[in-house]
Amino acid sequence: MRALITGGTRGIGLACCRLFLRMGYEVTATYSSDEEAVRAARGELPEVTFVRADAADEGAMRRVFDGIPSLDVLVNNAGIDFFAQVQDMAYADYRRVMDVNMGGAFLAVKFAVPRMLSRGGAIVNVSSIWGVTGGSCESVYSASKGAMIAFTKALAKELAPAVRVNAVAPGAIDTAMNAGYSEEERREIEGRIPLGRFGTPDEVAQAVYFLAACRYVTGQVLGVDGGGI
Ligand code: NAD
């Protein structure tokens, strides 16, 4: 069994690499430009093949899939956030967020599906709670993650029964993406989460693995958010 995880060098993607590896998968993971993170990830998980490929670069993503003989699970995890009020965002910022988050998922699915149709497979898209409820000052990020949810539901119908397609919608998870919060901001966010804390990357990976493994679930969006924010 083989899994491809985009954005696998840190945070949620790295936790997915660990878990799929432990469950017996051969794992290939992509990353963008964080050479320091990939060195650490290679050191920890020498069995994983880490390939530099920008999720929004069609040629690079095509080459990643050309290097994979077969594929059972695709996890579309690579993503970037952008905190700003909408009027302060340049169109180029909008395009980059949409290109990486939604465009990256599109490209990976486009190349994965021909490898999955005959033998079956599962796709898990890493969306966000903001793609469901909308996040203030993260409007374009929220839009990209909402698009991934619609993409998930449409693909689940289009690709059934051969390929199952589901999504996770994490809440506040302890990763580099949230490292910028002050202690006070963190406490304020934790105060709004029913379970009272940020989630861990491993907790999201467990949900991703469940959706990849459970053969009677498709078209679903599983919140991994401590009850919401
Ligand atoms: P992170 O910043 O710690 O890791 C991101 C990973 O994606 C890294 O491996 C990085 O190399 C890779 N990446 C970034 N841009 C890329 C690109 N253009 N091409 C290929 N790889 C790229 O982030 P994280 O917090 O682990 O987030 C992972 C996913 O989970 C993202 O899609 C994010 O939107 C989503 N998410 C995170 C949270 C959270 O609170 N951390 C909440 C909801 C959703």
Side-chain angles (χ1 to χ4, degrees):
M1 300 277 274
R2 185 182 299 272
L4 175 69
I5 296 162
T6 66
T9 53
R10 291 197 309 249
I12 293 167
L14 180 61
C16 289
C17 287
R18 285 191 198 105
L19 183 52
F20 278 88
L21 202 60
R22 205 164 69 229
M23 301 311 286
Y25 280 77
E26 289 181 61
V27 177
T28 299
T30 64
Y31 67 102
S32 50
S33 56
D34 47 351
E35 291 301 332
E36 204 176 304
V38 78
R39 260 197 307 280
R42 283 193 174 115
E44 181 195 335
L45 304 174
E47 306 92 334
V48 172
T49 306
F50 288 97
V51 187
R52 183 170 179 163
D54 190 306
D57 180 336
E58 182 171 5
M61 288 304 289
R62 189 191 300 276
R63 285 190 292 280
V64 170
F65 282 89
D66 284 348
I68 293 176
S70 64
L71 189 65
D72 302 287
V73 173
L74 167 67
V75 181
N76 280 314
N77 167 76
I80 52 171
D81 202 350
F82 200 99
F83 289 86
Q85 293 195 300
V86 68
Q87 66 272 28
D88 297 332
M89 279 186 82
Y91 187 45
D93 302 327
Y94 164 88
R95 279 199 308 238
R96 182 64 183 157
V97 173
M98 294 301 280
D99 280 356
V100 172
N101 296 357
M102 180 56 226
F106 162 75
L107 286 173
V109 165
K110 173 181 164 61
F111 296 132
V113 164
R115 289 167 172 75
M116 288 180 163
L117 281 177
S118 61
R119 48 185 274 143
I123 297 170
V124 183
N125 293 319
V126 181
S127 175
S128 163
I129 189 172
W130 297 146
V132 181
T133 65
S136 172
C137 296
E138 294 181 81
S139 59
V140 174
Y141 175 77
S142 301
S144 73
K145 293 297 183 176
M148 288 176 77
I149 288 175
F151 192 49
T152 299
K153 292 181 179 178
L155 286 175
K157 294 175 183 167
E158 181 175 324
L159 301 176
V163 181
R164 292 179 303 98
V165 189
N166 292 287
V168 290
I173 309 299
D174 245 330
T175 70
M177 196 175 262
N178 287 324
Y181 288 124
S182 67
E183 268 308 306
E184 193 184 345
E185 287 167 332
R186 245 188 106 92
R187 272 199 300 276
E188 191 274 322
I189 295 166
E190 284 170 347
R192 287 190 276 139
I193 301 170
L195 292 186
R197 63 171 177 86
F198 280 45
T200 67
D202 287 344
E203 288 165 337
V204 181
Q206 284 166 14
V208 169
Y209 185 80
F210 165 77
L211 291 172
C214 185
R215 292 182 176 274
Y216 202 54
V217 178
T218 196
Q220 301 304 303
V221 182
L222 179 53
V224 190
D225 57 12
I229 304 180

